[in-house]
Amino acid sequence: MVRQRILIVSPAAARDNNGNWQTASRWARFLQGRYAVDVAGGFTPDDPAPDLLIALHARRSAQAVAAFKAAHPQRPALLVLTGTDLYRDIDTAPEASASLDAADALVVLQEAGLARLDPRWQAKAHIIYQSASPLRPAPPAPGRRHVDICMIGHLRPEKDPLTFMRAAALVNAPRVRLLHIGGALDPQLLQAAQETEAACPRYRWLGPMPHARTRQRLKRCHAMVIASRMEGGANVIIEAVTSGVPVLASRIDGNVGMLGADYAGYFAVGDAAALARLIERCVQDPDFEAQLRRQCVARAPRFLPGAERAAVADLVDNLLPAVPCPTPPARAA
């Protein structure tokens, strides 16, 4: 029997090593056993028509969604919404709103994302938490020189790396080192990282790293910072939680939707002093650190690959029409 075809459109490629690509790659793995799955940067009417189009990013994949639905209006399109979609583009970019209208189903990556959608979009929206394979936490090395706090994210304004850099100059706890992993996508932020590194020995910008190496570095850190101004449902939170690493997060909807409203490790967006205090408390107050770890452990089950795989498969199965089994040949009389 010919397998149904799924095309995943991702504006990010493997070389970008960002959240969109990780989602596209992971969903392709989940679906490949049952369907024929391809990942591409777009879709045109001249391309072979898949049975289902899955598009990441409403604005950046808008042309692909529009072309697919115009050419094949009876075939379903599923749109996965990113942080810039939810918290910026649906208010400012008509093409993003058009993508939400055209899609047959929408996915938000954390529970707070639903509140950003108009009722006409909420009716076809689903929450699917992303996942990461658990890694065994790394115990502190005996006699270690540094207590590492990391931030993982490319140098781009949405991630607000300047708050992490400014906090480095305000932390006074001994042996604390702030490590930043991510590519330089903004020249001004690259200059700021280089200047901060020169002026503040506590801060180190490590540049981009392969995904597997980043996870190994993360699991050896005391805590991870996510300072973002907007997030749809950050992979790095999941990777920290499933590695046993507490998260210190900006209080934005995308982070609260991942960690819960009662999580103790939030700081106000852009408040470097508050982040510095939170880092010092996490390092110097064992009871507070233990509280963060307990709260992360409680959230971890929703971020396991089995839960995401089942949710993705269920949604795709309901979007695609059932393929009838071939009728067996009649027996000769």
Side-chain angles (χ1 to χ4, degrees):
M1 184 174 65
V2 176
R3 291 188 297 171
Q4 291 169 295
R5 286 190 60 244
I6 295 174
L7 176 64
I8 300 178
V9 171
S10 170
R15 64 180 178 274
D16 298 308
N17 192 25
N18 63 14
N20 281 346
W21 170 252
Q22 295 300 333
T23 302
S25 175
R26 195 172 56 254
W27 282 30
R29 292 196 305 271
F30 289 161
L31 296 168
Q32 273 167 348
R34 182 166 178 180
Y35 302 99
V37 183
D38 295 305
V39 180
F43 174 85
T44 71
D46 295 330
D47 294 335
D51 296 288
L52 168 67
L53 180 82
I54 299 176
L56 280 72
H57 207 295
R59 179 179 58 80
R60 296 180 65 191
S61 296
Q63 188 173 8
V65 173
F68 177 75
K69 292 303 291 184
H72 309 285
Q74 302 307 314
R75 300 193 180 199
L78 167 61
L79 180 62
V80 183
L81 300 175
T82 68
T84 51
D85 286 331
L86 285 172
Y87 301 107
R88 185 183 66 200
D89 292 345
I90 59 174
D91 295 327
T92 60
E95 64 271 30
S97 298
S99 293
L100 272 72
D101 287 334
D104 298 277
L106 307 173
V107 167
V108 295
L109 302 175
Q110 38 78 20
E111 58 200 36
L114 287 178
R116 286 287 298 147
L117 300 180
D118 286 348
R120 72 182 189 277
W121 295 332
Q122 286 183 0
K124 56 182 179 180
H126 307 260
I127 302 169
I128 298 181
Y129 287 96
Q130 298 182 96
S131 66
S133 298
L135 296 182
R136 181 175 296 178
R144 62 179 178 173
R145 291 178 54 203
H146 302 289
V147 178
D148 288 336
I149 308 294
C150 71
M151 176 174 172
I152 301 170
H154 295 319
L155 293 172
R156 47 191 288 243
E158 293 85 355
K159 301 297 182 182
D160 194 13
L162 290 176
T163 292
F164 188 66
M165 297 176 202
R166 291 166 181 154
L170 301 174
V171 171
N172 293 311
R175 298 189 301 125
V176 172
R177 184 171 61 173
L178 275 65
L179 308 178
H180 191 166
I181 300 170
L185 303 188
D186 183 296
Q188 291 182 328
L189 291 174
L190 170 60
Q191 181 179 351
Q194 293 169 335
E195 291 175 352
T196 302
E197 194 168 36
C200 180
R202 197 183 293 278
Y203 173 86
R204 289 182 61 197
W205 175 58
L206 304 182
M209 288 185 182
H211 182 244
R213 186 178 166 199
T214 299
R215 285 211 72 189
Q216 290 299 317
R217 192 68 183 250
L218 167 62
K219 81 172 191 177
R220 297 196 298 271
C221 290
H222 188 83
M224 186 206 76
V225 171
I226 178 166
S228 302
R229 295 183 175 277
M230 60 179 72
E231 287 287 352
N235 274 296
V236 290
I237 289 179
I238 295 164
E239 291 172 350
V241 169
T242 56
S243 301
V245 177
V247 179
L248 308 178
S250 53
R251 188 183 286 278
I252 58 173
D253 284 351
N255 292 342
V256 173
M258 296 287 283
L259 293 165
D262 62 345
Y263 186 66
Y266 294 122
F267 60 95
V269 173
D271 192 338
L275 173 56
R277 290 193 296 271
L278 204 58
I279 289 171
E280 292 190 336
R281 187 179 178 195
C282 182
V283 170
Q284 297 177 328
D285 184 342
D287 291 338
F288 179 63
E289 180 197 354
Q291 179 186 7
L292 295 182
R293 291 184 182 276
R294 285 194 305 270
Q295 290 181 308
C296 287
V297 166
R299 300 293 284 190
R302 71 190 62 203
F303 303 143
L304 296 178
E308 185 186 19
R309 182 185 296 110
V312 171
D314 183 62
L315 179 54
V316 167
D317 288 348
N318 280 286
L319 285 171
L320 281 169
V323 177
C325 295
T327 304
R331 291 186 179 180

